[in-house]
Amino acid sequence: MKDKHIVVGVTAGIAAYKAVDLVSRLRKAGADVKVVMTKNATKFVSPLVFGEISKHPVAVDMFEEVHDWNVEHIAYATWADAYIVAPATANIIGKMANGIADDMLSTQLLATTAPIFVCPAMNSNMYAHPAVQENLDTLRSRGVMIMEPDSGLLACGVEGKGRLPNPENIVKWVDFHLGKTDILNGKTVLVSAGGTQEPIDPVRFITNRSSGKMGYAIALKAAQAGANTILVSAPTELDVPYGVTFVPVRSAMEMKAVIDGYYHDVDAVIMAAAVADYRVAETADNKIKKQDSMALELVKNPDILAGLGASKAHQKLIGFAAETQYVIEYGKEKVRKKNLDMLVANDVSKANAGFDVDTNEVTFIYPGDQIVSLPTMSKIDVAERIIQALADL
Ligand code: CTP
């Protein structure tokens, strides 16, 4: 969303008040937002509110005498990187489908070549009406993106489908599609993430400092690249990225069982998880009571990635290495030992790389000791480079 120009079109539904939160979230995500309202929408929320939140004048009237030519409809239509119509009434959907341009918003929606995202919100009978559904199909066939409304208690007092989705999800949805490419179209990619939890007893476990941020960023970018993406994740604090199949696991043994189950059918595995090297030899069935001292016996976990490397057929394998010294030397060794197509090595002793931080500084190491070092960048940018490297492979 950073520096993207977004026009939010607000039409006359009771959910118009939620569009205030939508505009605020878009701005927090880094977008420059302008709001266009239909005349009736201004009966639900004052344009003043949207003006304050977006920091731009709000356009309503086509024929208002303009003080600044930038409020003219064509200027908006060319300024926009994307249009979001939220809430979208049956009326605006009908106008869009039939090429009607009789006010500021509908005229802009005809005049723009930017991608259009429509979030219908209305009474459930209206939403289900064949006229509305056929209009939505027409829009879909022209490449307009439609977000299904949520189900629940509607403002009109009935239970059903027609609620405007949570603005947070609308932002994720738009962001996902604006960053979409097709470099992994038709491929299936499994990404592992997070630090595994090795149980001691029913209330305790051993884990590590992995936040899961790198793996989640990779999964998002893989899905945006068009891959059918499976995210196998140990517990993290993060929201599940948009567009992935999410499989939660806890321990290394569980993670191994899940990944092995998928392995035959995937085109690539990216092992970003921090898999615990050891597990507790015997997990207690009941909570262990305190004692003056205690010792835990640990046994070695199987190396999931090495196992995948040993039985590799058509799959591409990308591993990670977190090191604090001899990063390249150890990395080259791991590429050979685990039969990898690429290793992402990072020096976790650096302040701007590794655990918990939002940036990373990594080196790609390939078989034959080919090396590509990247400068410090955000984890989402590193993820994009990894997905590009996978597509190249
Ligand atoms: N890995 C794995 N299974 C394990 C341990 C690690 O699949 N039991 C994977 C990680 O997901 C990562 C890669 O192996 O992609 C490298 O892990 P790392 O801990 O850096 O290296 P190790 O091979 O475990 O070697 P060492 O701990 O000696 O550095």
Side-chain angles (χ1 to χ4, degrees):
M1 284 293 173
K2 187 101 188 66
D3 300 328
K4 284 269 187 314
H5 292 173
I6 310 284
V7 177
V8 175
V10 182
T11 66
I14 186 72
Y17 75 93
K18 291 191 192 168
V20 177
D21 186 28
L22 174 65
V23 172
S24 160
R25 284 176 187 276
L26 288 165
R27 281 190 40 93
K28 281 188 194 138
D32 192 0
V33 186
K34 293 184 180 178
V35 177
V36 183
M37 300 178 78
T38 61
K39 204 156 173 246
N40 286 338
T42 65
K43 294 178 184 159
F44 288 94
V45 181
S46 161
L48 273 177
V49 178
F50 285 109
E52 278 300 317
I53 301 286
S54 68
K55 308 289 179 218
H56 285 292
V58 174
V60 181
D61 188 353
M62 268 297 274
F63 302 105
E64 187 185 4
E65 202 180 323
V66 293
H67 305 290
D68 169 0
W69 76 271
N70 271 332
V71 302
E72 184 245 341
H73 64 284
I74 301 295
Y76 267 72
T78 47
W79 177 84
D81 293 314
Y83 270 77
I84 307 174
V85 186
T89 56
N91 189 44
I92 191 74
I93 291 166
K95 285 190 201 177
M96 288 174 76
N98 292 286
I100 295 169
D102 65 351
D103 66 1
M104 186 55 140
L105 179 59
S106 53
T107 307
Q108 287 190 25
L109 290 167
L110 265 192
T112 191
T113 54
I116 301 176
F117 298 83
V118 171
C119 303
M122 65 196 78
N123 163 273
S124 50
N125 287 342
M126 288 174 76
Y127 183 67
H129 195 286
V132 172
Q133 287 304 317
E134 280 168 26
N135 285 335
L136 287 172
D137 285 344
T138 301
L139 294 179
R140 275 190 202 97
S141 72
R142 293 182 193 146
V144 173
M145 301 293 303
I146 313 285
M147 191 176 208
E148 285 281 295
D150 283 350
S151 295
L153 183 63
L154 305 178
C156 49
V158 299
E159 283 275 336
K161 193 170 186 179
R163 281 162 64 103
L164 186 72
N166 189 335
E168 194 183 337
N169 292 340
I170 299 177
V171 175
K172 278 192 193 170
W173 172 66
V174 173
D175 193 31
F176 180 85
H177 287 286
L178 286 181
K180 222 163 164 350
T181 67
D182 57 4
I183 56 175
L184 289 179
N185 257 2
K187 302 289 180 194
T188 300
V189 176
L190 186 150
V191 182
S192 72
T196 63
Q197 293 183 353
E198 307 303 320
I200 297 171
D201 68 12
V203 297
R204 304 181 180 98
F205 53 80
I206 300 171
T207 191
N208 57 63
R209 282 181 52 205
S210 169
S211 64
K213 282 179 185 166
M214 193 64 248
Y216 276 52
I218 294 168
L220 174 66
K221 285 290 159 192
Q224 276 187 314
N228 168 25
T229 305
I230 303 153
L231 174 60
V232 180
S233 177
T236 73
E237 305 270 296
L238 306 173
D239 291 337
V240 176
Y242 188 88
V244 309
T245 302
F246 185 67
V247 188
V249 296
R250 289 199 98 84
S251 66
M253 295 303 273
E254 259 183 73
M255 183 173 273
K256 178 176 166 48
V258 168
I259 293 176
D260 286 350
Y262 278 109
Y263 192 43
H264 181 266
D265 298 323
V266 303
D267 297 295
V269 176
I270 304 176
M271 280 295 294
V275 184
D277 286 324
Y278 300 93
R279 68 180 179 280
V280 178
E282 269 188 55
T283 305
D285 290 336
N286 293 304
K287 187 179 165 203
I288 300 172
K289 300 306 270 180
K290 15 178 168 358
Q291 305 151 39
D292 285 343
S293 72
M294 83 175 271
L296 283 175
E297 190 193 344
L298 303 180
V299 292
K300 203 157 181 213
N301 272 327
D303 189 316
I304 303 171
L305 186 56
L308 301 178
S311 60
K312 190 159 80 172
H314 59 280
Q315 301 91 343
K316 297 291 174 199
L317 279 187
I318 298 183
F320 271 74
E323 307 288 0
T324 54
Q325 55 179 351
Y326 309 120
V327 179
I328 305 295
E329 288 76 3
Y330 287 163
K332 287 178 183 170
E333 184 57 28
K334 276 177 195 170
V335 170
R336 272 188 288 277
K337 236 175 52 190
K338 302 195 188 194
N339 192 19
L340 304 181
D341 297 286
M342 186 176 116
L343 182 91
V344 183
N346 63 352
D347 182 345
V348 287
S349 64
K350 291 191 176 167
N352 56 5
F355 299 117
D356 268 336
V357 291
D358 290 322
T359 53
N360 216 348
E361 189 184 315
V362 302
T363 303
F364 295 167
I365 305 175
Y366 294 90
D369 295 348
Q370 187 201 339
I371 287 180
V372 178
S373 292
L374 303 184
T376 303
M377 54 179 86
S378 70
K379 283 187 174 168
I380 198 79
D381 287 341
V382 173
E384 200 166 320
R385 301 289 280 265
I386 291 170
I387 291 304
Q388 184 59 60
L390 175 61
D392 293 344
L393 282 170

